[in-house]
């Protein structure tokens, strides 16, 4: 399949992948690129906020595109419904980078060497239900979730908090954008999800309420092989991440522009009109990334307060991670110093100069 260079082809891709020829085949199977493809292939998530806004800015960043073209590695972005769908392609070097939640990041680091370039979200995923006090009465309930996602981890936390496991409930795998409607229609009793699904549910269904929250973070993750073979290209990706956040921090108009682009990209990918309003998207972006101090810098690790350490051990206790995978493997991923290198050479990488396509 011809390489996708921009989002203009995503609507055609969606129509193609949902047609009869795609029956029995996941849409992202068509994304597989040769391992030595010239372009820099990045996985983005246009249906999750604020990740969709960061992805929208990366793909419209003229400075990034020019720098990568000069290096002979043009930018190519690929849309995914969830981060776990990227893992095989990243592990097989068919993607160079991806915007991933914390659980997919851990699962990827357990499989292959990666470099975590920067923080792209810090918030709380939520367990949303129609029934007040559902947390105390979860046994036997139908709970929707996205397997191997940040919200999956939140669901595991919620169950553990009341002494239950996945075997004590009926798990319903469901796409993130289908969850609010499924809850409203009574097909499920609750769902674990990231934004915008909780906001949509709370706005559209008066009975909906959040019964549990769990900490969540997203990252720009690069494959270690890519960083080692193309260190300059990797640094330009890091610079583009800094630019995206700093541009949105300048004023509300910029946040709204990023939100509109993200909503457009999400509609082109899903074939559906946005369920989120512009004001809601702006609120989510402010809360979950723009007002996070120092982002995309990851808070310094010290002692037991290392990023994802508690989640790593929790998942190992539940058997979600191989027992022979050590924490040091993930800790090494956080040691990547791309942000420091870019910040030390602003004239070269231009992290505070902005030029976005409309």
């Amino acid at each position: 399949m011809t390489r996708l260079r921009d989002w203009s082809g995503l609507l055609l891709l969606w129509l193609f992948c949902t047609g009869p020829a795609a029956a029995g085949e996941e849409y992202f199977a068509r994304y597989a690129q040769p391992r030595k493809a010239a372009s820099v292939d990045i996985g983005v998530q246009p249906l999750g906020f604020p990740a969709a806004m960061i992805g929208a800015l990366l793909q419209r960043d003229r400075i990034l595109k020019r720098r990568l073209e000069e290096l002979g590695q043009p930018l190519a972005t690929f849309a995914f419904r969830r981060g776990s769908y990227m893992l095989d392609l990243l592990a097989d070097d068919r993607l160079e980078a991806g915007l991933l939640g914390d659980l997919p990041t851990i699962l990827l680091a357990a499989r292959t060497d990666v470099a975590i370039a920067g923080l792209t979200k810090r918030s709380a995923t939520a367990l949303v239900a129609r029934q007040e006090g559902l947390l105390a009465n979860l046994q036997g309930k139908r709970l929707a979730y996205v397997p191997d996602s940040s919200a999956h981890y939140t669901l595991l936390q919620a169950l553990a908090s009341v002494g239950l496991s996945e075997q004590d409930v009926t798990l319903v795998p469901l796409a993130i954008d289908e969850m609010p409607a499924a809850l409203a229609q009574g097909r499920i009793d609750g769902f674990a999800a990231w934004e915008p699904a909780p906001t949509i549910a709370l706005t559209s269904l008066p009975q909906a309420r959040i019964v549990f929250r769990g900490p969540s973070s997203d990252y720009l993750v690069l494959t270690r092989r890519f960083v080692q073979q193309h260190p300059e290209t990797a640094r330009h990706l890091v610079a583009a991440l800094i630019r995206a956040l700093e541009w949105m921090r300048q004023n509300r108009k910029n946040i709204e522009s990023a939100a509109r682009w993200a909503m457009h990209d999400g509609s082109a990918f899903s074939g559906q009109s946005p369920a989120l309003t512009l004001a809601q998207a702006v609120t989510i972006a402010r809360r979950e990334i723009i007002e996070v101090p120092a982002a995309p810098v990851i808070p310094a690790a010290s002692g037991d307060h290392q990023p994802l350490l508690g989640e790593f051990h929790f998942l190992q206790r539940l058997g979600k991670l191989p027992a022979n995978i050590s924490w040091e493997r993930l800790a090494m991923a956080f040691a990547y110093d791309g942000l420091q290198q870019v910040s030390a050479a602003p004239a070269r990488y231009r992290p505070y100069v902005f030029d976005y396509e409309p």
Side-chain angles (χ1 to χ4, degrees):
M1 185 176 181
T2 302
R3 177 179 301 280
L4 299 178
R5 285 292 184 86
D6 53 42
W7 288 94
S8 62
L10 281 176
L11 182 55
L12 292 176
L13 177 69
W14 176 80
L15 291 171
F16 180 68
C17 288
T18 53
E25 181 181 32
E26 292 285 10
Y27 66 92
F28 54 86
R30 301 178 182 274
Y31 291 177
Q33 302 299 319
R35 290 178 181 171
K36 295 185 179 180
S39 63
V40 178
D41 303 324
I42 303 177
V44 297
Q45 297 192 56
L47 301 182
F49 281 71
M53 296 167 68
I54 294 173
L57 290 172
L58 290 179
Q59 71 186 19
R60 290 171 173 81
D61 188 333
R62 289 193 179 105
I63 296 174
L64 174 64
K65 289 184 174 182
R66 285 195 295 267
R67 293 295 179 264
L68 297 192
E69 291 282 355
E70 291 167 1
L71 291 167
Q73 296 177 281
L75 179 68
T77 55
F78 297 85
F80 292 81
R81 297 186 72 89
R82 66 196 211 207
S84 61
Y85 284 165
M86 302 182 201
L87 300 188
D88 286 344
L89 296 178
L90 286 161
D92 198 34
D93 292 314
R94 297 181 188 279
L95 288 175
E96 281 69 58
L99 294 169
L100 298 176
D102 39 21
L103 181 52
T105 297
I106 292 173
L107 294 174
L108 181 62
R111 295 176 58 179
T112 189
D113 293 332
V114 297
I116 297 174
L119 185 72
T120 61
K121 184 187 83 170
R122 171 156 289 187
S123 63
T125 50
L127 178 58
V128 183
R130 295 174 56 131
Q131 177 184 334
E132 188 172 1
L134 180 73
L135 189 61
N137 190 29
L138 279 176
Q139 190 155 0
K141 299 299 183 182
R142 299 161 298 168
L143 303 177
Y145 77 124
V146 176
D148 297 335
S149 69
S150 300
H152 187 182
Y153 172 58
T154 295
L155 178 56
L156 294 174
Q157 286 182 302
L159 292 170
S161 73
V162 291
L164 299 178
S165 71
E166 292 173 293
Q167 288 69 44
D168 296 312
V169 297
T170 300
L171 295 179
V172 183
L174 201 61
I176 192 79
D177 53 324
E178 297 173 4
M179 292 181 179
L183 184 67
Q185 295 161 7
R187 293 189 283 120
I188 56 175
D189 299 303
F191 67 80
W194 56 90
E195 293 290 4
T199 292
I200 294 170
L202 294 176
T203 301
S204 60
L205 184 63
Q207 304 98 313
R209 63 203 71 233
I210 292 175
V211 298
F212 186 87
R213 291 184 186 273
S216 175
S217 51
D218 285 5
Y219 303 93
L220 174 62
V221 182
L222 316 178
T223 66
R224 180 64 67 174
R225 182 174 299 184
F226 169 61
V227 170
Q228 292 172 341
Q229 294 181 348
H230 305 285
E232 182 71 356
T233 306
R235 286 190 286 269
H236 282 297
L237 285 182
V238 173
L241 175 60
I242 298 174
R243 271 196 298 275
L245 295 183
E246 292 302 321
W247 186 72
M248 287 192 289
R249 284 182 175 128
Q250 285 192 337
N251 54 62
R252 183 184 176 91
K253 180 181 177 182
N254 290 353
I255 306 174
E256 290 179 347
S257 294
R260 287 192 186 96
W261 294 336
M263 293 163 73
H264 172 272
D265 295 343
S267 293
F269 178 56
S270 69
Q272 300 177 0
S273 299
L276 196 69
T277 68
L278 184 65
Q280 289 170 335
V282 169
T283 298
I284 292 169
R286 284 191 180 280
R287 180 180 69 238
E288 299 197 355
I289 188 61
I290 296 169
E291 295 176 356
V292 174
V297 175
I298 300 166
S302 61
D304 292 333
H305 301 287
Q306 301 186 65
L308 305 186
L309 178 62
E311 184 170 342
F312 177 86
H313 289 314
F314 178 78
L315 293 169
Q316 273 199 328
R317 288 196 302 271
L318 294 182
K320 300 293 183 182
L321 290 174
N324 62 345
I325 298 297
S326 69
W327 162 253
E328 285 69 28
R329 185 180 180 94
L330 185 56
M332 286 181 60
F334 283 101
Y336 174 56
D337 62 351
L339 278 170
Q340 295 91 321
Q341 294 179 46
V342 169
S343 298
R348 182 180 185 86
Y349 298 107
R350 305 175 71 190
Y352 306 107
V353 178
F354 313 108
D355 184 10
Y356 290 105
E357 298 170 352

